[in-house]
Amino acid sequence: MKKSVEFTPIRVSYADLLLYLLDNSMVVITPAKVPQPPFFRGYDSNATCAYHRGVLRHSIEHCRTLKHKVQGLIDAGWLKFEENRL
């Protein structure tokens, strides 16, 4: 059984955060495989994820891969959130 990860709440949208992370060379866009049936939980044929170049059918706000990346940056002390800014 997989251990549930608790992500640190962030004060901005993941879409806005992705732009910041890209501008500061903290992440790179990661292409992913086109999903095939049976589709994963949360699959949305109308959604795209900027982190995955729009390939996977989920929104960036629900992208677990990006959330894990962000959490790793927070845990390592590379990303901190202050009251009114990153």
Side-chain angles (χ1 to χ4, degrees):
M1 187 164 114
K2 287 186 177 181
K3 181 182 174 186
S4 177
V5 175
E6 289 198 31
F7 299 109
T8 301
I10 63 172
R11 300 176 184 266
V12 298
S13 70
Y14 279 93
D16 290 340
L17 181 57
L18 178 61
L19 296 175
Y20 173 85
L21 296 174
L22 290 168
D23 287 346
N24 289 281
S25 301
M26 299 173 86
V27 299
V28 295
I29 298 299
T30 306
K33 297 185 299 184
V34 175
Q36 302 296 316
F39 297 116
F40 54 88
R41 194 177 92 177
Y43 176 86
D44 180 351
S45 62
N46 296 313
T48 60
C49 177
Y51 182 66
H52 288 115
R53 274 200 193 134
V55 174
L56 287 179
R57 301 298 184 213
H58 62 268
S59 74
I60 192 167
E61 300 305 321
H62 295 101
C63 180
R64 292 191 56 80
T65 304
L66 180 58
K67 288 182 178 190
H68 279 283
K69 177 63 100 172
V70 169
Q71 189 62 51
L73 292 169
I74 292 169
D75 292 347
W78 285 83
L79 186 61
K80 296 179 182 179
F81 295 90
E82 296 176 14
E83 186 64 30
N84 294 316
R85 61 188 181 125
L86 287 175

